[in-house]
Amino acid sequence: MSTYEARLAALREQLKADRLDGFVVPLTDEHMSEYVGTYAQRLAWLTGFQGSAGAAAVLPAEAAIFVDGRYTLQVRDQVDGRHWSYQSVPETSIADWLKAHAPDGGRIGYDPWLHTSDWVVKAREALASKGAELVAVRRNPIDAIWSDKPEPSKASLVVHPDKYAGKSSAAKRQEMADWLRERHADAAVLSALDSIAWTFNVRGKDVDHTPVALSFALVHDDGTADLFVASEKLGDDVRQHLGNGVRIHERSDFEPHLASLSGKTVVADPERAVAAIFEALESAGATILRDRDPSVLPKATKNQAEIEGHRAAQARDGAALTRFLHWLSIEAPRGGLDELKAAAKLEQLRKQCGDLRDLSFDTISGSGPNGAIVHYKVNEETNRPIEMDSLYLVDSGGQYPDGTTDVTRTVAIGTPTSEMRDRFTRVLKGHIALGSALFPEGTRGTQLDVLARQFLWAAGIDYAHGTGHGVGSYLAVHEGPQRISPAGSSQAGGDEPLRAGMICSNEPGYYKTGEYGIRVENLVLVVPVEVDGAEKKMLGFETLTYAPIDRNLIDSDLLTAAERQWVDDYHARVLEIVGPQLEGDVKSWLEEQCRPL
Amino acid sequence: MSTYEARLAALREQLKADRLDGFVVPLTDEHMSEYVGTYAQRLAWLTGFQGSAGAAAVLPAEAAIFVDGRYTLQVRDQVDGRHWSYQSVPETSIADWLKAHAPDGGRIGYDPWLHTSDWVVKAREALASKGAELVAVRRNPIDAIWSDKPEPSKASLVVHPDKYAGKSSAAKRQEMADWLRERHADAAVLSALDSIAWTFNVRGKDVDHTPVALSFALVHDDGTADLFVASEKLGDDVRQHLGNGVRIHERSDFEPHLASLSGKTVVADPERAVAAIFEALESAGATILRDRDPSVLPKATKNQAEIEGHRAAQARDGAALTRFLHWLSIEAPRGGLDELKAAAKLEQLRKQCGDLRDLSFDTISGSGPNGAIVHYKVNEETNRPIEMDSLYLVDSGGQYPDGTTDVTRTVAIGTPTSEMRDRFTRVLKGHIALGSALFPEGTRGTQLDVLARQFLWAAGIDYAHGTGHGVGSYLAVHEGPQRISPAGSSQAGGDEPLRAGMICSNEPGYYKTGEYGIRVENLVLVVPVEVDGAEKKMLGFETLTYAPIDRNLIDSDLLTAAERQWVDDYHARVLEIVGPQLEGDVKSWLEEQCRPL
């Protein structure tokens, strides 16, 4: 019996012992984090699936794994089809599948620390139609059988200095207190890890590429707070930094502590706080105010110090990327380069540029056809040489104490085809249209998304991902609440009004399966714009990312005069910002790349 | 005591007699129609308010009237502030106001035939917090005191021939029956008047400018139907046309008939069917399936006959409008013209062009500053002369058996300022960008809206209305479900996917209060577009409206070469389609107007 077959059998035994007829296994942690620590990777342990999103449902005689379109091939590769049926989301939800397969009157378990209330309500309804019951487990049955389950990370917290945060934690908590009092609420639950890091001006190392720490918090209407975090993570400097206004508890004290909120009005965010939190508050006799986590909007609208920090980090990051592109231009034609080597070199150059704490995500390093796989993750098996007359796409970023970066460049190795240049230029035109947009306050991301797609649509093509996401300040590289995406997108955020201080990515692309991928990404800052004769307050985008765009891929004939000017102006700014950090050959190369078209 | 003061006093007496402490008076009919017959104009009767949207709430000692931004001035003009307080929606809802003003434990009446379930739920919640009760009345108290209340229209139905409808009523009902069976439903309620007219291929005259008849219907899963309409409206030709599959009842039999649906599963549309219908179904013991009225989508996606019909009606309508614009060009400079005379002339020319059944809405005829009032309705008091060196905006349309039209033209009388030409050209550029858009199937109106605004946004200006609405086939001039509008708009429909066969208006504008208004509107048809090398099914817009655009307002320097080409191509099509219907001076004038820029 294979490892995974044995684990599935063991789970079924455990479920019998727990008097359950089934169990749901999502890929989340207690904080609905985008990336999940190894201690929480139950889906991978049980099924072998290594993708970043998915879920499974186990019944006595059947089991199913649910993944979206990104992973259709990967799941069949990694998960044994003899024991697991493959289900596609969003076409088939877990609730749908359970409704069809659960035994009548069955008891289906779920871990209330790993699902939102919304999910619980829908699943409960679906099962009710079969007379089946959704049952919250007190202990996750997988934890009972996963004998060598890793411990959560023990990394220490560090202080995030006010010079980067731009506002003290006490001031942030005071503003949240005002917000609470306006709503006649006593406290708010913070369970999203980046919300907590931002609110307390601390950083951690408990999640890959995101400097946050496993924790929970309550912020009160007097500005004080309770912070629930493993005490071993807190050195004296952090305790002193947190100060008297923050009462420190063990992370495991969070659920019991909620019981003390009887009679209080507590804000909990239905999109961020897991079902167990809502259930604990209800049991405690608290009044729940379902509203967004009050740190989300201030975290998204960067203050002056955060903005200056991002500009500084981007300048250094741009220099590192520029050095990489120069190195690539020399090494690639020589042969012998591959995706892994390139990614490693880029990481090394970022480390050298100053203050790199981590990458902000696993570098997407896609040569030729691999560039067409939108969420491509290179490893030893998939690693491909970088070859002549192909496109190389690299999407990468860093975590610096003053800012988080995320940038994509597509370069032609050797001679690109005219089709590649046509597609690249259409992508670039879209990037320019979005980056140059002026729009009134209150405009949502869904309203602007078409600006980036329109030149691809004119050729009957498109890209199957959003156009832009928010970015944190030495926090998550994918940060809400805003998104620039099509209406009706499955991911929320496109209808959040854009505000000055928000940072968004601007990343249209085009992917020809089996051949090549193109993406042009800069980060942009939403800024107020003074327009002569304006009748409304207008916003626009200031570019934060500066690195050369491959002129060999630009078909100038497809650009309007204004678009050519945009490219020339952009490259002139690259020279101003990145140039002084370079010298010798690299600098001369950059000057050549940044010549007017 | 003034008339309205007496009516308010009489209502309060009636409420006492009915054991009510208050009553809500909306501006709707039993069908949630956009325009309401005089028999249902209770708000106007009670308060004197003549606007097309609003509501009132009456308590023993207080009364309030609720209107939106369009009517802030008008309501103060028409409604006596000594007896009514003026409330602004959406800032203050009726529910909010009642919550603040209703007597504790009070009984507040509402007519369940005039509100949606959603409204009832919200109002009930708001009142509950005061221990007050929302009470459905069996008889509207205003009807008890409105002694000379008009009867509903007695106009007869007419048959809408298959040659225009493109599909028999039996076939439409059979498709609805399939739809019902897919959902395991027995029947669907149709209460929207245009839904009923479309489904049964009949037309009426019971609502201003919309050829529909006061009626209700039930369509069953075997394709048969029950139609509830005053028998006096049905001549033998209509009865024969309806055939055996349609059982005819009096309109007043509808509510009792719902009681017979015990144990059935009935589809009712929460956006269209009033609360009384839901309440009757619940009392009957029917299972309610809350879903959209099944005629809405097929009605919106025109079939070939409807499309051909629209094209033919538009061609004639365009000729009438062209004759009007020619006449205007000659008469206006002579002086002596005013808004009413112009509107009357346009209506006369439409009548002469063939088959006009009615205007599709009250013509918006706005000279100079009146053009800046978006929903301007000219009357003897507001009537303004059409003067030299001003702009004249005319938004008008007709009801023809083969199609419904709606078009706006803005013309310069004399010499426009350079600012007028700049604003007009920006509006035109937006109109062209939207009209020329190519987009994948599934795209929503909110995604395209920015294309029409972007050139105004670039100058820090905007227009405070949607960009496009759907249009019926000899039905409502404002027809859902789709809209082209900003995300977050208060009116629904912007997130409805656009489909081939839908007709939309394309009507950006710019309004300078106190000076002038600009709008350029054509109707466009969503059509599939073959694009060489396309990887997705693409859609685009085919223009349906053909009438010259005022070249004196176009600043060609602001147009790109492609935009100039669009104007020239459009005007060439105007000549092809409208030209042959004209002769003599009008024709020569048109040829001059349609010269390449």
PDB file of all heavy atoms in Angstrom, chain A residues 438-440 447 450 457 460 462 486-487 510 535-536 538, chain B residues 438-440 446-447 450 457 460 462 486 510 535-536 538:
ATOM      1  N   LEU A 438      -6.664  58.473 -16.136  1.00  0.00           N
ATOM      2  CA  LEU A 438      -7.132  59.418 -15.120  1.00  0.00           C
ATOM      3  C   LEU A 438      -8.566  59.027 -14.815  1.00  0.00           C
ATOM      4  O   LEU A 438      -9.348  58.756 -15.739  1.00  0.00           O
ATOM      5  CB  LEU A 438      -7.104  60.847 -15.664  1.00  0.00           C
ATOM      6  CG  LEU A 438      -5.739  61.479 -15.826  1.00  0.00           C
ATOM      7  CD1 LEU A 438      -5.882  62.892 -16.361  1.00  0.00           C
ATOM      8  CD2 LEU A 438      -4.984  61.512 -14.492  1.00  0.00           C
ATOM      9  N   PHE A 439      -8.938  58.992 -13.545  1.00  0.00           N
ATOM     10  CA  PHE A 439     -10.270  58.531 -13.190  1.00  0.00           C
ATOM     11  C   PHE A 439     -10.746  59.227 -11.924  1.00  0.00           C
ATOM     12  O   PHE A 439      -9.943  59.618 -11.076  1.00  0.00           O
ATOM     13  CB  PHE A 439     -10.294  57.003 -13.028  1.00  0.00           C
ATOM     14  CG  PHE A 439      -9.167  56.464 -12.201  1.00  0.00           C
ATOM     15  CD1 PHE A 439      -9.346  56.203 -10.853  1.00  0.00           C
ATOM     16  CD2 PHE A 439      -7.908  56.213 -12.759  1.00  0.00           C
ATOM     17  CE1 PHE A 439      -8.301  55.720 -10.074  1.00  0.00           C
ATOM     18  CE2 PHE A 439      -6.862  55.734 -11.989  1.00  0.00           C
ATOM     19  CZ  PHE A 439      -7.064  55.489 -10.640  1.00  0.00           C
ATOM     20  N   PRO A 440     -12.069  59.387 -11.779  1.00  0.00           N
ATOM     21  CA  PRO A 440     -12.564  60.101 -10.606  1.00  0.00           C
ATOM     22  C   PRO A 440     -12.438  59.250  -9.345  1.00  0.00           C
ATOM     23  O   PRO A 440     -12.465  58.015  -9.414  1.00  0.00           O
ATOM     24  CB  PRO A 440     -14.039  60.354 -10.912  1.00  0.00           C
ATOM     25  CG  PRO A 440     -14.307  59.818 -12.250  1.00  0.00           C
ATOM     26  CD  PRO A 440     -13.161  59.001 -12.692  1.00  0.00           C
ATOM     27  N   GLN A 447     -13.842  48.800 -13.337  1.00  0.00           N
ATOM     28  CA  GLN A 447     -14.109  49.793 -14.370  1.00  0.00           C
ATOM     29  C   GLN A 447     -12.882  50.041 -15.234  1.00  0.00           C
ATOM     30  O   GLN A 447     -13.009  50.463 -16.382  1.00  0.00           O
ATOM     31  CB  GLN A 447     -14.565  51.114 -13.736  1.00  0.00           C
ATOM     32  CG  GLN A 447     -15.904  50.995 -13.020  1.00  0.00           C
ATOM     33  CD  GLN A 447     -16.329  52.284 -12.365  1.00  0.00           C
ATOM     34  OE1 GLN A 447     -16.266  52.414 -11.145  1.00  0.00           O
ATOM     35  NE2 GLN A 447     -16.745  53.260 -13.136  1.00  0.00           N
ATOM     36  N   VAL A 450     -10.702  46.953 -18.451  1.00  0.00           N
ATOM     37  CA  VAL A 450     -10.770  46.849 -19.912  1.00  0.00           C
ATOM     38  C   VAL A 450      -9.653  47.660 -20.588  1.00  0.00           C
ATOM     39  O   VAL A 450      -9.217  47.322 -21.694  1.00  0.00           O
ATOM     40  CB  VAL A 450     -12.147  47.320 -20.436  1.00  0.00           C
ATOM     41  CG1 VAL A 450     -12.303  48.825 -20.276  1.00  0.00           C
ATOM     42  CG2 VAL A 450     -12.329  46.964 -21.894  1.00  0.00           C
ATOM     43  N   TRP A 457      -8.189  42.350 -27.012  1.00  0.00           N
ATOM     44  CA  TRP A 457      -9.541  42.039 -27.474  1.00  0.00           C
ATOM     45  C   TRP A 457      -9.721  42.391 -28.943  1.00  0.00           C
ATOM     46  O   TRP A 457     -10.432  41.692 -29.663  1.00  0.00           O
ATOM     47  CB  TRP A 457     -10.574  42.792 -26.627  1.00  0.00           C
ATOM     48  CG  TRP A 457     -10.814  42.208 -25.281  1.00  0.00           C
ATOM     49  CD1 TRP A 457     -10.211  41.115 -24.726  1.00  0.00           C
ATOM     50  CD2 TRP A 457     -11.748  42.674 -24.307  1.00  0.00           C
ATOM     51  NE1 TRP A 457     -10.706  40.891 -23.473  1.00  0.00           N
ATOM     52  CE2 TRP A 457     -11.658  41.818 -23.181  1.00  0.00           C
ATOM     53  CE3 TRP A 457     -12.666  43.728 -24.264  1.00  0.00           C
ATOM     54  CZ2 TRP A 457     -12.440  41.996 -22.031  1.00  0.00           C
ATOM     55  CZ3 TRP A 457     -13.446  43.894 -23.126  1.00  0.00           C
ATOM     56  CH2 TRP A 457     -13.335  43.035 -22.025  1.00  0.00           C
ATOM     57  N   GLY A 460      -8.978  39.579 -30.834  1.00  0.00           N
ATOM     58  CA  GLY A 460      -9.699  38.358 -30.472  1.00  0.00           C
ATOM     59  C   GLY A 460      -8.973  37.494 -29.460  1.00  0.00           C
ATOM     60  O   GLY A 460      -9.216  36.297 -29.363  1.00  0.00           O
ATOM     61  N   ASP A 462      -6.953  37.374 -25.314  1.00  0.00           N
ATOM     62  CA  ASP A 462      -7.187  37.879 -23.953  1.00  0.00           C
ATOM     63  C   ASP A 462      -6.182  37.208 -23.030  1.00  0.00           C
ATOM     64  O   ASP A 462      -5.370  36.390 -23.473  1.00  0.00           O
ATOM     65  CB  ASP A 462      -8.626  37.526 -23.543  1.00  0.00           C
ATOM     66  CG  ASP A 462      -9.149  38.357 -22.373  1.00  0.00           C
ATOM     67  OD1 ASP A 462      -8.400  39.190 -21.837  1.00  0.00           O
ATOM     68  OD2 ASP A 462     -10.327  38.169 -22.015  1.00  0.00           O
ATOM     69  N   PRO A 486     -11.803  41.703 -14.129  1.00  0.00           N
ATOM     70  CA  PRO A 486     -13.084  41.788 -14.828  1.00  0.00           C
ATOM     71  C   PRO A 486     -14.246  41.697 -13.844  1.00  0.00           C
ATOM     72  O   PRO A 486     -14.109  41.098 -12.775  1.00  0.00           O
ATOM     73  CB  PRO A 486     -13.080  40.563 -15.739  1.00  0.00           C
ATOM     74  CG  PRO A 486     -11.669  40.110 -15.806  1.00  0.00           C
ATOM     75  CD  PRO A 486     -11.028  40.520 -14.529  1.00  0.00           C
ATOM     76  N   ALA A 487     -15.381  42.263 -14.190  1.00  0.00           N
ATOM     77  CA  ALA A 487     -16.599  42.102 -13.402  1.00  0.00           C
ATOM     78  C   ALA A 487     -16.956  40.628 -13.405  1.00  0.00           C
ATOM     79  O   ALA A 487     -16.709  39.929 -14.371  1.00  0.00           O
ATOM     80  CB  ALA A 487     -17.727  42.910 -14.028  1.00  0.00           C
ATOM     81  N   TYR A 510      -0.169  37.905 -22.259  1.00  0.00           N
ATOM     82  CA  TYR A 510      -0.745  37.058 -23.303  1.00  0.00           C
ATOM     83  C   TYR A 510       0.014  35.743 -23.309  1.00  0.00           C
ATOM     84  O   TYR A 510       1.247  35.739 -23.218  1.00  0.00           O
ATOM     85  CB  TYR A 510      -0.685  37.736 -24.676  1.00  0.00           C
ATOM     86  CG  TYR A 510      -1.068  36.780 -25.777  1.00  0.00           C
ATOM     87  CD1 TYR A 510      -2.379  36.323 -25.889  1.00  0.00           C
ATOM     88  CD2 TYR A 510      -0.114  36.266 -26.654  1.00  0.00           C
ATOM     89  CE1 TYR A 510      -2.727  35.390 -26.856  1.00  0.00           C
ATOM     90  CE2 TYR A 510      -0.452  35.335 -27.630  1.00  0.00           C
ATOM     91  CZ  TYR A 510      -1.767  34.905 -27.717  1.00  0.00           C
ATOM     92  OH  TYR A 510      -2.119  33.977 -28.663  1.00  0.00           O
ATOM     93  N   GLU A 535     -13.643  69.191 -12.880  1.00  0.00           N
ATOM     94  CA  GLU A 535     -14.842  69.412 -12.067  1.00  0.00           C
ATOM     95  C   GLU A 535     -14.976  68.347 -10.990  1.00  0.00           C
ATOM     96  O   GLU A 535     -15.888  68.357 -10.194  1.00  0.00           O
ATOM     97  CB  GLU A 535     -16.086  69.396 -12.962  1.00  0.00           C
ATOM     98  CG  GLU A 535     -16.164  70.594 -13.880  1.00  0.00           C
ATOM     99  CD  GLU A 535     -17.240  70.462 -14.955  1.00  0.00           C
ATOM    100  OE1 GLU A 535     -17.985  69.470 -14.921  1.00  0.00           O
ATOM    101  OE2 GLU A 535     -17.308  71.349 -15.823  1.00  0.00           O
ATOM    102  N   LYS A 536     -14.054  67.396 -11.016  1.00  0.00           N
ATOM    103  CA  LYS A 536     -14.099  66.326 -10.019  1.00  0.00           C
ATOM    104  C   LYS A 536     -12.692  66.106  -9.507  1.00  0.00           C
ATOM    105  O   LYS A 536     -11.719  66.455 -10.170  1.00  0.00           O
ATOM    106  CB  LYS A 536     -14.570  65.011 -10.662  1.00  0.00           C
ATOM    107  CG  LYS A 536     -15.904  65.086 -11.356  1.00  0.00           C
ATOM    108  CD  LYS A 536     -16.338  63.702 -11.834  1.00  0.00           C
ATOM    109  CE  LYS A 536     -17.235  63.057 -10.795  1.00  0.00           C
ATOM    110  NZ  LYS A 536     -18.044  61.961 -11.328  1.00  0.00           N
ATOM    111  N   MET A 538      -9.708  64.021  -9.290  1.00  0.00           N
ATOM    112  CA  MET A 538      -9.221  62.974 -10.172  1.00  0.00           C
ATOM    113  C   MET A 538      -8.045  62.231  -9.546  1.00  0.00           C
ATOM    114  O   MET A 538      -7.271  62.791  -8.760  1.00  0.00           O
ATOM    115  CB  MET A 538      -8.803  63.538 -11.530  1.00  0.00           C
ATOM    116  CG  MET A 538      -9.895  64.315 -12.243  1.00  0.00           C
ATOM    117  SD  MET A 538     -11.411  63.366 -12.541  1.00  0.00           S
ATOM    118  CE  MET A 538     -10.855  62.195 -13.788  1.00  0.00           C
TER     119      MET A 538
ATOM    120  N   LEU B 438     -14.476  45.709 -29.292  1.00  0.00           N
ATOM    121  CA  LEU B 438     -14.606  44.259 -29.461  1.00  0.00           C
ATOM    122  C   LEU B 438     -14.388  43.654 -28.094  1.00  0.00           C
ATOM    123  O   LEU B 438     -13.452  44.053 -27.391  1.00  0.00           O
ATOM    124  CB  LEU B 438     -13.548  43.730 -30.432  1.00  0.00           C
ATOM    125  CG  LEU B 438     -13.737  44.069 -31.896  1.00  0.00           C
ATOM    126  CD1 LEU B 438     -12.604  43.482 -32.719  1.00  0.00           C
ATOM    127  CD2 LEU B 438     -15.068  43.537 -32.415  1.00  0.00           C
ATOM    128  N   PHE B 439     -15.215  42.699 -27.704  1.00  0.00           N
ATOM    129  CA  PHE B 439     -15.106  42.150 -26.359  1.00  0.00           C
ATOM    130  C   PHE B 439     -15.551  40.697 -26.356  1.00  0.00           C
ATOM    131  O   PHE B 439     -16.380  40.282 -27.168  1.00  0.00           O
ATOM    132  CB  PHE B 439     -15.922  42.978 -25.364  1.00  0.00           C
ATOM    133  CG  PHE B 439     -17.305  43.306 -25.832  1.00  0.00           C
ATOM    134  CD1 PHE B 439     -18.378  42.518 -25.445  1.00  0.00           C
ATOM    135  CD2 PHE B 439     -17.539  44.401 -26.662  1.00  0.00           C
ATOM    136  CE1 PHE B 439     -19.660  42.805 -25.890  1.00  0.00           C
ATOM    137  CE2 PHE B 439     -18.827  44.695 -27.111  1.00  0.00           C
ATOM    138  CZ  PHE B 439     -19.888  43.892 -26.723  1.00  0.00           C
ATOM    139  N   PRO B 440     -14.994  39.904 -25.432  1.00  0.00           N
ATOM    140  CA  PRO B 440     -15.347  38.490 -25.431  1.00  0.00           C
ATOM    141  C   PRO B 440     -16.766  38.268 -24.899  1.00  0.00           C
ATOM    142  O   PRO B 440     -17.279  39.063 -24.100  1.00  0.00           O
ATOM    143  CB  PRO B 440     -14.335  37.849 -24.471  1.00  0.00           C
ATOM    144  CG  PRO B 440     -13.426  38.908 -24.021  1.00  0.00           C
ATOM    145  CD  PRO B 440     -13.979  40.223 -24.419  1.00  0.00           C
ATOM    146  N   THR B 446     -20.580  46.931 -17.054  1.00  0.00           N
ATOM    147  CA  THR B 446     -19.686  47.729 -16.210  1.00  0.00           C
ATOM    148  C   THR B 446     -18.251  47.709 -16.722  1.00  0.00           C
ATOM    149  O   THR B 446     -17.465  48.615 -16.431  1.00  0.00           O
ATOM    150  CB  THR B 446     -19.620  47.210 -14.764  1.00  0.00           C
ATOM    151  OG1 THR B 446     -19.478  45.788 -14.803  1.00  0.00           O
ATOM    152  CG2 THR B 446     -20.835  47.588 -13.962  1.00  0.00           C
ATOM    153  N   GLN B 447     -17.884  46.656 -17.454  1.00  0.00           N
ATOM    154  CA  GLN B 447     -16.509  46.569 -17.941  1.00  0.00           C
ATOM    155  C   GLN B 447     -16.277  47.529 -19.102  1.00  0.00           C
ATOM    156  O   GLN B 447     -15.147  47.934 -19.354  1.00  0.00           O
ATOM    157  CB  GLN B 447     -16.192  45.141 -18.397  1.00  0.00           C
ATOM    158  CG  GLN B 447     -16.182  44.150 -17.250  1.00  0.00           C
ATOM    159  CD  GLN B 447     -15.921  42.733 -17.702  1.00  0.00           C
ATOM    160  OE1 GLN B 447     -16.830  41.918 -17.739  1.00  0.00           O
ATOM    161  NE2 GLN B 447     -14.690  42.426 -18.055  1.00  0.00           N
ATOM    162  N   VAL B 450     -16.185  52.500 -19.040  1.00  0.00           N
ATOM    163  CA  VAL B 450     -15.080  53.452 -19.023  1.00  0.00           C
ATOM    164  C   VAL B 450     -14.687  53.888 -20.435  1.00  0.00           C
ATOM    165  O   VAL B 450     -14.193  55.008 -20.641  1.00  0.00           O
ATOM    166  CB  VAL B 450     -13.832  52.869 -18.303  1.00  0.00           C
ATOM    167  CG1 VAL B 450     -13.198  51.743 -19.117  1.00  0.00           C
ATOM    168  CG2 VAL B 450     -12.795  53.932 -18.045  1.00  0.00           C
ATOM    169  N   TRP B 457     -12.818  61.958 -18.627  1.00  0.00           N
ATOM    170  CA  TRP B 457     -12.010  61.817 -17.405  1.00  0.00           C
ATOM    171  C   TRP B 457     -10.635  62.459 -17.595  1.00  0.00           C
ATOM    172  O   TRP B 457     -10.094  63.038 -16.655  1.00  0.00           O
ATOM    173  CB  TRP B 457     -11.843  60.342 -17.048  1.00  0.00           C
ATOM    174  CG  TRP B 457     -13.035  59.730 -16.398  1.00  0.00           C
ATOM    175  CD1 TRP B 457     -14.228  60.337 -16.124  1.00  0.00           C
ATOM    176  CD2 TRP B 457     -13.156  58.390 -15.915  1.00  0.00           C
ATOM    177  NE1 TRP B 457     -15.074  59.450 -15.501  1.00  0.00           N
ATOM    178  CE2 TRP B 457     -14.452  58.252 -15.363  1.00  0.00           C
ATOM    179  CE3 TRP B 457     -12.294  57.288 -15.885  1.00  0.00           C
ATOM    180  CZ2 TRP B 457     -14.897  57.047 -14.801  1.00  0.00           C
ATOM    181  CZ3 TRP B 457     -12.750  56.098 -15.320  1.00  0.00           C
ATOM    182  CH2 TRP B 457     -14.030  55.994 -14.784  1.00  0.00           C
ATOM    183  N   GLY B 460     -10.804  65.755 -16.506  1.00  0.00           N
ATOM    184  CA  GLY B 460     -11.316  65.957 -15.149  1.00  0.00           C
ATOM    185  C   GLY B 460     -12.815  66.168 -15.088  1.00  0.00           C
ATOM    186  O   GLY B 460     -13.333  66.730 -14.123  1.00  0.00           O
ATOM    187  N   ASP B 462     -16.981  64.529 -16.282  1.00  0.00           N
ATOM    188  CA  ASP B 462     -17.684  63.240 -16.325  1.00  0.00           C
ATOM    189  C   ASP B 462     -19.156  63.525 -16.600  1.00  0.00           C
ATOM    190  O   ASP B 462     -19.562  64.692 -16.727  1.00  0.00           O
ATOM    191  CB  ASP B 462     -17.519  62.540 -14.969  1.00  0.00           C
ATOM    192  CG  ASP B 462     -17.796  61.037 -15.015  1.00  0.00           C
ATOM    193  OD1 ASP B 462     -18.189  60.520 -16.079  1.00  0.00           O
ATOM    194  OD2 ASP B 462     -17.611  60.381 -13.967  1.00  0.00           O
ATOM    195  N   PRO B 486     -21.437  52.501 -14.564  1.00  0.00           N
ATOM    196  CA  PRO B 486     -20.294  52.301 -13.684  1.00  0.00           C
ATOM    197  C   PRO B 486     -20.578  51.208 -12.669  1.00  0.00           C
ATOM    198  O   PRO B 486     -21.724  50.952 -12.320  1.00  0.00           O
ATOM    199  CB  PRO B 486     -20.154  53.650 -12.967  1.00  0.00           C
ATOM    200  CG  PRO B 486     -20.935  54.622 -13.760  1.00  0.00           C
ATOM    201  CD  PRO B 486     -22.012  53.858 -14.432  1.00  0.00           C
ATOM    202  N   TYR B 510     -22.105  65.354 -21.601  1.00  0.00           N
ATOM    203  CA  TYR B 510     -21.433  66.291 -20.693  1.00  0.00           C
ATOM    204  C   TYR B 510     -22.375  67.460 -20.456  1.00  0.00           C
ATOM    205  O   TYR B 510     -22.996  67.962 -21.398  1.00  0.00           O
ATOM    206  CB  TYR B 510     -20.093  66.766 -21.259  1.00  0.00           C
ATOM    207  CG  TYR B 510     -19.515  67.890 -20.449  1.00  0.00           C
ATOM    208  CD1 TYR B 510     -19.051  67.661 -19.146  1.00  0.00           C
ATOM    209  CD2 TYR B 510     -19.503  69.197 -20.931  1.00  0.00           C
ATOM    210  CE1 TYR B 510     -18.578  68.693 -18.358  1.00  0.00           C
ATOM    211  CE2 TYR B 510     -19.030  70.235 -20.145  1.00  0.00           C
ATOM    212  CZ  TYR B 510     -18.572  69.978 -18.863  1.00  0.00           C
ATOM    213  OH  TYR B 510     -18.110  71.009 -18.088  1.00  0.00           O
ATOM    214  N   GLU B 535      -8.919  33.809 -30.559  1.00  0.00           N
ATOM    215  CA  GLU B 535      -8.901  32.607 -29.717  1.00  0.00           C
ATOM    216  C   GLU B 535     -10.158  32.521 -28.863  1.00  0.00           C
ATOM    217  O   GLU B 535     -10.342  31.582 -28.114  1.00  0.00           O
ATOM    218  CB  GLU B 535      -7.662  32.628 -28.813  1.00  0.00           C
ATOM    219  CG  GLU B 535      -6.380  32.439 -29.590  1.00  0.00           C
ATOM    220  CD  GLU B 535      -5.142  32.718 -28.762  1.00  0.00           C
ATOM    221  OE1 GLU B 535      -5.265  32.967 -27.542  1.00  0.00           O
ATOM    222  OE2 GLU B 535      -4.034  32.707 -29.341  1.00  0.00           O
ATOM    223  N   LYS B 536     -11.000  33.533 -28.974  1.00  0.00           N
ATOM    224  CA  LYS B 536     -12.231  33.541 -28.178  1.00  0.00           C
ATOM    225  C   LYS B 536     -13.364  33.999 -29.092  1.00  0.00           C
ATOM    226  O   LYS B 536     -13.133  34.653 -30.102  1.00  0.00           O
ATOM    227  CB  LYS B 536     -12.129  34.557 -27.028  1.00  0.00           C
ATOM    228  CG  LYS B 536     -10.957  34.358 -26.116  1.00  0.00           C
ATOM    229  CD  LYS B 536     -11.021  35.299 -24.930  1.00  0.00           C
ATOM    230  CE  LYS B 536     -11.710  34.617 -23.759  1.00  0.00           C
ATOM    231  NZ  LYS B 536     -11.475  35.311 -22.488  1.00  0.00           N
ATOM    232  N   MET B 538     -15.819  36.520 -30.028  1.00  0.00           N
ATOM    233  CA  MET B 538     -15.843  37.955 -29.783  1.00  0.00           C
ATOM    234  C   MET B 538     -17.189  38.550 -30.188  1.00  0.00           C
ATOM    235  O   MET B 538     -17.875  38.059 -31.089  1.00  0.00           O
ATOM    236  CB  MET B 538     -14.715  38.648 -30.563  1.00  0.00           C
ATOM    237  CG  MET B 538     -13.336  38.118 -30.278  1.00  0.00           C
ATOM    238  SD  MET B 538     -12.847  38.210 -28.520  1.00  0.00           S
ATOM    239  CE  MET B 538     -12.664  39.983 -28.306  1.00  0.00           C
TER     240      MET B 538
END
